[in-house]
Amino acid sequence: FRRALAIAERAQGPDHPDTGARLNSLARLLEAKGDYAAAEALFRRALAIAERAQGPDHPDTGARINNLAGLLQVKGDYAAAEPLYRRALAIAEKAQGPDHPDTGTVLNNLASLLRDKGDYAAAEPLFRRALAIAEKALGTEHPTTRLIRKNLADLQQRRTAPQNPR
């Protein structure tokens, strides 16, 4: 990933969308490795490139916003992640439509954040909408559809589980 990034920066420049895509890929790897600080810096740089090169409402910009929100969610910074997910959702709905699989993915991600925050009432309709989109666009057995179904089941289980007094 670092080599691909270096090539993109030399061949196309530091502000080219392809450079941003390479930054995003490296950031995802670093996030998976648990290097959140380095990943966040790269996600933010990739987002800045997308906003400048492709505009604030481009699907790639929305994807970069979604990825940054996901990292912030993993870090437990729900307050910073939620408005980013909502912005990514607005971009996906406008650019790709309310029934596009990418819209469903962002809905699932936002719902997961709301579930993690304990806002089950707000999360459930988003999971249900994401599931309907995935089933229609991808089929009932697609991995994404299965993931959303699992997330909805997890939400329902959390809603019915007895609370542990502390």
Side-chain angles (χ1 to χ4, degrees):
F1 285 119
R2 290 186 191 282
R3 183 171 180 221
L5 174 59
I7 291 168
E9 286 178 318
R10 276 194 313 273
Q12 297 171 306
D15 294 324
H16 192 277
D18 288 345
T19 300
R22 302 306 170 269
L23 286 163
N24 187 71
S25 296
L26 178 56
R28 291 181 63 121
L29 173 67
L30 294 172
E31 178 184 9
K33 290 175 57 177
D35 189 351
Y36 299 145
E40 184 173 347
L42 295 180
F43 277 137
R44 289 188 183 281
R45 185 173 163 212
L47 172 57
I49 291 169
E51 287 176 319
R52 280 192 309 270
Q54 297 166 293
D57 298 323
H58 192 277
D60 287 348
T61 302
R64 303 295 180 263
I65 293 166
N66 181 70
N67 290 342
L68 176 58
L71 172 69
L72 295 171
Q73 180 179 356
V74 167
K75 289 175 53 177
D77 191 352
Y78 300 154
E82 185 173 347
L84 292 175
Y85 277 138
R86 292 190 185 282
R87 181 175 168 210
L89 178 59
I91 292 169
E93 288 177 323
K94 181 179 176 186
Q96 297 168 296
D99 298 322
H100 191 277
D102 290 347
T103 302
T105 295
V106 181
L107 281 164
N108 176 69
N109 295 345
L110 175 57
S112 294
L113 173 78
L114 295 170
R115 178 200 60 205
D116 291 351
K117 285 177 46 175
D119 191 351
Y120 302 149
E124 185 170 356
L126 299 181
F127 276 134
R128 291 193 182 284
R129 183 174 162 213
L131 182 59
I133 291 168
E135 286 177 340
K136 182 177 178 186
L138 305 172
T140 59
E141 298 307 313
H142 190 276
T144 299
T145 307
R146 288 180 178 203
L147 172 66
I148 297 168
R149 193 177 302 117
K150 177 186 169 297
N151 287 340
L152 178 58
D154 177 64
L155 170 74
Q156 292 168 333
Q157 182 178 16
R158 289 184 191 195
R159 285 183 102 158
T160 60
Q163 298 296 317
N164 293 332
R166 295 185 191 232

